[in-house]
Amino acid sequence: RLHLVTWNVGTASPPPDVTSLLQLDSLGPSMDMYVIGLQEVNSRITNFLSDLAFDDPWSIFFMTVLSPLGYIKLSSIRMQGLLLLIFVKHVHLPFIRDVHTHYTRTGLYGYWGNKGGVTIRMSLYGHTICFMNCHLPAHMENTEQRLDDFEKILEMQFEGENIPSTLDHDVLFWFGDLNFRIADYGIHFVRESINNKRYNLLWEKDQLNMAKKKEAFLQEFMEGPLQFKPTYKFDLYSDVYDTSEKKRKPAWTDRILWRVKHLCQHAAKEGQFSEEEQTISVTLNNYISHMSYGISDHKPVTGTFGLELKPLLSEPLVTLNPEGEWSAEHDVLINYSAVPEFPSSAWDWIGLFKVTFRHANDYVTYAWVEDDEISSNKDSKQVYMSAAEIPDTGGEFVLCYYSNNLQSIAGISQPFQIQPNRTFMGRDLRQEENSWTRKPDNLESREEF
């Protein structure tokens, strides 16, 4: 289950709550992956420079929401106001490989990053998946520029790298503030159609729908029905369309589309495609806007998808687990084994993480797999961690094997308990007792009163 968000946030800060946006209150099964594409994230130079050194406020916000629920930030890519984040459940980490990011500027003839696309691609259970968040040129008259820019982004992503082109991925998701407008009809007809919920009257004049009928490369992209109000342009903190002097015409600028490669091949070969080859399918379960969010003049749009995969990978590259009982009272051991074809490196490491860890660098401590190895045979290896590095307070943790060659987590253990350090606990208890025997004067006088 994949939940995809696109939202032009208009340089605003994150809202207080995103429960409904992420469908965290849904009664159905939880999502396996969240893909969050934002446009117009605050990109003033001071903000951008600080965001290069540290996570930006939106990334921190979504990590704070999702990490306690068992998701980690798999990857992110930022190009000025464009931000793309992917979060996944822990259980899928060993089966996600070859994660790469890329960006393409199209603003100001390709020199400025206020428009363009950011992309994250990966292998998911052996299938190639690509996510592309775009912000295309604005204004009614720029349809051709939007199409030209999108073609340029498609062509330039991962150009020259040993990675399939975007259109060669098994599944490609294309989303963002695509800025397509409703042509021909006047503002009064458009608003009246919206007020009467007769959205179908506007579909045939939607510039993206019109372009899909003419442009061959767009015909391969699918989209759910636009059965929600156009998501642009609203007065802030309201569900009222633009009341400024400009009175911009409403439009479905914020969109989510997808393309499945084998369906395109199937259409090209006219029936020569066997059922057995259909190893991946995509089903759209929900395509909606979220009117309650008013921090910008756009409403966010979400698509909830089912990805049915025939796993081409059945076992993790690395299996690892803690040896015996863990506490900070003694050095501890980690057992791990790797499949024969695993491309190990001297720079690989095993990290100890809290179960609510946010991303791969959010470790408590780590051990180098070569430098800290203490035994090895053809079936498994052992690595040690020093007692001094183990948290005295204990708690619930996981171990993750990080592959330097793959630049990703290649294995994750089941959650396990680290016992509190009894020496530490005893010292802590004595300090607490001492604090009670030495009461502040004002506390004693209050009790006497």
Side-chain angles (χ1 to χ4, degrees), residues 173-327:
F173 288 92
W174 171 39
F175 49 94
D177 179 358
L178 307 184
N179 254 322
F180 290 101
R181 308 304 171 98
I182 297 171
D184 299 340
Y185 296 141
I187 187 170
H188 296 295
F189 179 81
V190 171
R191 289 193 175 186
E192 193 65 24
S193 300
I194 295 168
N195 291 337
N196 293 322
K197 296 186 177 179
R198 301 185 69 182
Y199 309 132
N200 59 308
L201 298 178
L202 308 176
W203 292 344
E204 65 180 18
K205 294 298 182 181
D206 171 78
Q207 290 176 334
L208 180 53
N209 286 340
M210 293 165 71
K212 284 180 69 177
K213 293 176 182 177
K214 297 178 182 178
E215 304 287 344
F217 79 101
L218 286 181
Q219 290 168 7
E220 299 172 347
F221 285 90
M222 293 174 277
E223 183 181 18
L226 297 168
Q227 293 177 339
F228 49 86
K229 295 171 69 169
T231 51
Y232 172 85
K233 170 182 168 72
F234 289 89
D235 291 344
L236 295 184
Y237 299 103
S238 80
D239 55 4
V240 176
Y241 284 108
D242 189 14
T243 59
S244 71
E245 288 183 9
K246 292 184 178 179
K247 284 192 169 57
R248 292 176 181 84
K249 193 162 58 170
W252 285 291
T253 55
D254 310 281
R255 311 286 278 270
I256 300 172
L257 297 93
W258 73 99
R259 176 187 184 274
V260 182
K261 183 181 174 185
H262 74 63
L263 294 180
C264 304
Q265 293 172 333
H266 188 188
K269 294 179 182 177
E270 295 185 291
Q272 297 176 22
F273 191 78
S274 72
E275 285 291 322
E276 292 179 7
E277 291 179 70
Q278 294 191 31
T279 56
I280 183 168
S281 65
V282 179
T283 305
L284 176 66
N285 298 326
N286 210 354
Y287 188 36
I288 58 174
S289 65
H290 297 262
M291 294 296 292
S292 62
Y293 294 92
I295 60 172
S296 81
D297 53 3
H298 291 251
K299 300 299 182 184
V301 171
T302 61
T304 306
F305 296 86
L307 267 64
E308 194 168 334
L309 308 171
K310 180 180 180 181
L312 304 178
L313 302 172
S314 57
E315 61 178 321
L317 292 171
V318 177
T319 304
L320 69 167
N321 55 74
E323 172 76 15
E325 183 179 279
W326 276 40
S327 83

Side-chain angles (χ1 to χ4, degrees), residues 5-7 9 35-41 51 55-60 62 73 75-86 118 120 133-134 175:
V5 178
T6 179
W7 192 4
V9 298
V35 179
I36 300 166
L38 305 179
Q39 306 87 39
E40 291 194 25
V41 171
D51 292 347
D55 280 311
D56 65 276
W58 281 93
S59 297
I60 293 169
F62 281 113
K73 187 183 80 171
S75 185
S76 67
I77 175 75
R78 170 95 185 261
M79 181 184 74
Q80 282 185 223
L82 272 171
L83 176 64
L84 179 56
L85 303 161
I86 295 184
V118 291
I120 299 175
N133 173 25
C134 294
F175 49 94

Side-chain angles (χ1 to χ4, degrees), residues 331-391:
D331 292 349
V332 292
L333 298 178
I334 301 161
N335 294 320
Y336 80 91
S337 59
V339 297
E341 66 272 20
F342 176 62
S344 62
S345 158
W347 296 101
D348 290 356
W349 49 274
I350 296 173
L352 176 68
F353 296 81
K354 293 182 178 179
V355 288
T356 56
F357 72 110
R358 297 177 169 208
H359 48 75
N361 290 329
D362 195 19
Y363 50 81
V364 176
T365 185
Y366 63 90
W368 295 106
V369 295
E370 286 200 5
D371 290 354
D372 298 317
E373 182 181 300
I374 59 169
S375 71
S376 174
N377 59 50
K378 65 182 180 66
D379 294 322
S380 66
K381 297 182 179 183
Q382 277 194 332
V383 171
Y384 88 98
M385 278 185 179
S386 166
E389 305 296 331
I390 306 302

